[in-house]
Amino acid sequence: MRKVYFDHAATTHPDQRVVEAMLPYLEEAFGNPSSLHDYGSAAKEALEKARAQVASLINVTRPEEIYFTSSGAEADNFALKGIALGNQQKGRHIVTSRIEHHAVMHSAQTLEKWGFQVTYVPVDKYGTVDPADVARAITPQTTLVSIMHANNEVGTIQPIAEIARITRERGVLLHTDAVATVGTIPVDVKELGVDLLSLSSHAFYGPKGAGALYVRKGVRIVPFIDGGVQEGGRRAGTENVPAIVGLGVAAEIAKAEVPSRAARLTPLRDRLARGLLERIDRVYLNGHPTQRLPGHVNVCVEYIEGESILLFLNMQGVAASSGSACTSRALKASHVLTAMGVDPALAQGSLLFSLGRDNTEEDVDYVLEVLPPIVERLRQMSPLYTARKDN
Amino acid sequence: MQYSTKVMEHFANPHNVGEIPDADGVGYMGNPVCGDIMQLYIKVQDGVITDAKFKTFGCGAAIATSSMVTDMVKGKTIDEALKISNRTVAEALDGLPPVKMHCSVLAEEALASAIDDYFKKKGLPSPVKLKVGHEHEAD
């Protein structure tokens, strides 16, 4: 059976060069970067090389502005909590959006429990934040604005550079969760104008267990983990050297390959989206028509539920994901689709196909071939479909 | 997915999908906001359920429990059918993941709703105490 992996938003297959670069650090080069001896300095050197590689990918001039974390989620937690706590003498208000990744959203909710005020700006039907809403939300007490670079579910790219002009003018820091974009489309912290940026290794063919937060020099941020001198004293704990080395190599490869990755993915994405709309009745594309990630196709299939579709797709060798309530442990429909105003019953039929660099036209055509019969079968079982046909 | 083999069998090839045009009782339970909707049809002869069919909008567990509950009620008297609980259905499927137990509640309630409808259609007092609506339990 053909295997098609269309779930790159969940994780990616590590690049062989990444895996090979990591192996020595799981074996003979096992040193602790904080040690003075040769074992330590070899590990330290590898760590700093990775820092430079990550810095270069996002056009950061000073590698020391890159802080390694265990994940993109940790980087988001570090940014929100570290900035809110570090700048509370100025004020206790932050601004974020309704479509952020849970790592940002739940950090913001934790800050609310700690007595901070949070404004969640809305999005339009395409999932785009209006910079004017951000401008209106900023008060003299605001210390931070956190808006994601691109949404991980629907793929909509946000107008970060425009938002940055507002935050700079108002003297507010800007963080962007760029986990969905770094390694997928060109990301340049200077062009974006952000003060902080989160990224994750396994989103772009690196290993799990490594992420990074860019913090512009001079930004006041409270340490995230106390207990040691690692990462400039801001994130204690012996570094996950193998994973960080992997992240570095993945970043170096991405720097060279990102433009061609995006150019190759876009036509595949469009072929899939077009094919779905042509072959299946009552399918709706979610997200912005043009300002979207090159590999994301998010659709709602009316009258049926996402998990059932995923189970049948999996039986046909196709891996995808869904924002339906039934697929989430919290049993709630995707907050992103809800914020975009998608009807809750329709959101139950949401499907996300996230394509990656190894996918081919044959993969797309295979999915276009196997999905319509699955949809038809589930619709024949659905009382909603029957009710619609009776009308 | 941590579904049992039995759940996957019933999901992939569900039994009793469809409608019964001259059903003696029709149950409709659920809410599209929280996820699942189940429509259950029963045919009753001399107090015995002779046929049952369903249509379900929902996840793998919702479809599998619909298939199982319609299998289980066939040949049972109304009294026996009313004793089928969500746990009985889940156990017959070799268990459900904890987060999916609410789907078996839907099956139980759709069945109760169909039996209630049967009594109402006959103009008899219904022994069924329906819970209002169907809400997901918290995770």
Side-chain angles (χ1 to χ4, degrees):
Chain A
M1 186 175 55
R2 194 179 184 93
K3 289 271 186 193
V4 176
Y5 187 77
F6 273 2
D7 200 11
H8 292 82
T11 194
T12 59
H13 188 166
D15 189 290
Q16 196 51 41
R17 292 164 284 181
V18 167
V19 175
E20 274 162 28
M22 289 171 68
L23 286 176
Y25 297 92
L26 290 161
E27 294 171 348
E28 68 277 10
F30 62 86
N32 183 331
S34 298
S35 303
L36 275 177
H37 45 63
D38 287 355
Y39 296 90
S41 31
K44 177 79 178 158
E45 206 175 295
L47 198 64
E48 296 317 314
K49 184 179 173 195
R51 203 183 304 281
Q53 287 163 322
V54 171
S56 164
L57 175 62
I58 56 173
N59 195 24
V60 164
T61 322
R62 302 183 192 89
E64 65 273 20
E65 292 175 327
I66 300 293
Y67 294 85
F68 289 122
T69 62
S70 65
S71 60
E74 187 192 319
D76 287 339
N77 273 259
F78 186 5
L80 268 80
K81 294 170 186 170
I83 294 297
L85 291 173
N87 297 274
Q88 50 184 329
Q89 76 291 350
K90 184 199 167 194
R92 289 165 68 84
H93 177 242
I94 70 165
V95 176
T96 182
S97 83
R98 290 194 191 147
I99 56 154
E100 297 299 311
H101 187 274
H102 286 119
V104 165
M105 204 169 75
H106 292 173
S107 292
Q109 287 164 358
T110 296
L111 287 169
E112 286 187 276
K113 284 183 202 142
W114 292 350
F116 288 83
Q117 281 193 308
V118 181
T119 303
Y120 300 88
V121 296
V123 292
D124 64 14
K125 63 175 178 174
Y126 296 127
T128 310
V129 170
D130 183 349
D133 285 332
V134 175
R136 269 191 292 276
I138 294 172
T139 74
Q141 277 71 48
T142 310
T143 55
L144 177 72
V145 170
S146 178
I147 305 287
M148 68 202 319
H149 190 196
N151 182 266
N152 51 306
E153 288 183 36
V154 296
T156 301
I157 299 170
Q158 304 298 332
I160 297 299
E162 247 182 277
I163 294 169
R165 277 194 284 279
I166 296 163
T167 52
R168 226 169 318 163
E169 195 186 294
R170 307 281 292 270
V172 173
L173 295 169
L174 177 60
H175 165 251
T176 193
D177 170 355
V179 169
T181 53
V182 170
T184 298
I185 59 172
V187 175
D188 180 323
V189 294
K190 296 195 176 82
E191 267 176 31
L192 291 175
V194 295
D195 302 290
L196 302 102
L197 177 146
S198 306
L199 61 91
S200 170
S201 158
H202 75 108
F204 59 101
Y205 313 101
K208 293 156 190 71
L213 181 66
Y214 156 71
V215 184
R216 188 176 51 75
K217 198 173 179 217
V219 167
R220 181 194 283 267
I221 187 164
V222 162
F224 191 62
I225 300 180
D226 293 313
V229 297
Q230 295 89 354
E231 300 304 298
R234 282 168 166 170
R235 201 277 183 186
T238 300
E239 300 86 345
N240 184 354
V241 179
I244 292 169
V245 166
L247 163 59
V249 175
E252 190 178 309
I253 296 169
K255 192 173 161 71
E257 293 182 2
V258 157
S260 60
R261 275 178 198 170
R264 218 181 66 79
L265 274 180
T266 307
L268 290 183
R269 172 198 72 184
D270 294 343
R271 184 183 181 92
L272 178 61
R274 211 173 35 242
L276 292 173
L277 297 176
E278 276 169 13
R279 293 181 192 211
I280 305 171
D281 190 29
R282 300 264 189 164
V283 166
Y284 308 93
L285 189 65
N286 298 311
H288 197 280
T290 55
Q291 288 302 303
R292 58 191 295 118
L293 289 172
H296 266 54
V297 177
N298 186 311
V299 291
C300 283
V301 187
E302 202 169 3
Y303 311 120
I304 56 177
E305 188 280 327
E307 189 205 87
S308 316
I309 310 174
L310 293 187
L311 290 170
F312 276 129
L313 280 174
N314 188 49
M315 289 178 204
Q316 304 275 358
V318 178
S321 71
S322 165
S324 89
C326 298
T327 55
S328 82
R329 287 194 58 81
L331 299 174
K332 284 198 175 120
S334 150
H335 67 288
V336 177
L337 296 175
T338 306
M340 288 162 59
V342 175
D343 173 75
L346 188 57
Q348 274 295 80
S350 94
L351 275 184
L352 168 59
F353 298 106
S354 44
L355 282 58
R357 61 173 195 186
D358 298 327
N359 290 133
T360 61
E361 215 165 79
E362 287 71 37
D363 291 339
V364 170
D365 293 345
Y366 179 70
V367 171
L368 289 174
E369 179 193 317
V370 301
L371 185 60
I374 293 173
V375 169
E376 186 50 30
R377 191 160 177 210
L378 286 167
R379 280 182 173 170
Q380 290 308 325
M381 264 187 243
S382 168
L384 298 179
Y385 193 58
T386 318
R388 168 252 180 185
K389 282 206 298 193
D390 290 348
N391 285 336
Chain B
M1 305 282 175
Q2 66 284 53
Y3 284 135
S4 70
T5 311
K6 205 139 195 190
V7 170
M8 286 310 290
E9 279 169 14
H10 275 267
F11 166 71
N13 293 297
H15 310 167
N16 318 309
V17 176
E19 296 166 34
I20 301 176
D22 57 343
D24 297 308
V26 182
Y28 189 89
M29 200 45 77
N31 182 338
V33 176
C34 69
D36 315 328
I37 300 172
M38 183 174 175
Q39 198 158 16
L40 197 153
Y41 302 79
I42 51 170
K43 192 87 192 132
V44 185
Q45 224 167 22
D46 305 326
V48 175
I49 298 174
T50 54
D51 198 9
K53 288 201 185 296
F54 79 90
K55 285 218 164 173
T56 291
F57 165 82
C59 62
I63 290 171
T65 51
S66 304
S67 168
M68 181 52 90
V69 80
T70 45
D71 265 359
M72 289 171 85
V73 295
K74 281 198 245 179
K76 287 209 165 51
T77 64
I78 293 288
D79 282 351
E80 288 166 343
L82 279 172
K83 289 196 185 100
I84 295 174
S85 74
N86 73 306
R87 301 224 164 255
T88 336
V89 179
E91 276 161 26
L93 288 164
D94 295 338
L96 285 170
V99 71
K100 295 291 185 183
M101 276 307 284
H102 66 276
C103 300
S104 61
V105 177
L106 180 68
E108 178 191 321
E109 291 182 3
L111 174 61
S113 159
I115 294 173
D116 183 64
D117 184 56
Y118 163 74
F119 279 101
K120 286 198 174 126
K121 279 200 172 107
K122 287 227 149 196
L124 296 169
S126 170
V128 181
K129 283 188 191 67
L130 281 180
K131 292 166 199 158
V132 183
H134 157 64
E135 283 188 342
H136 282 305
E137 288 161 25
D139 193 7

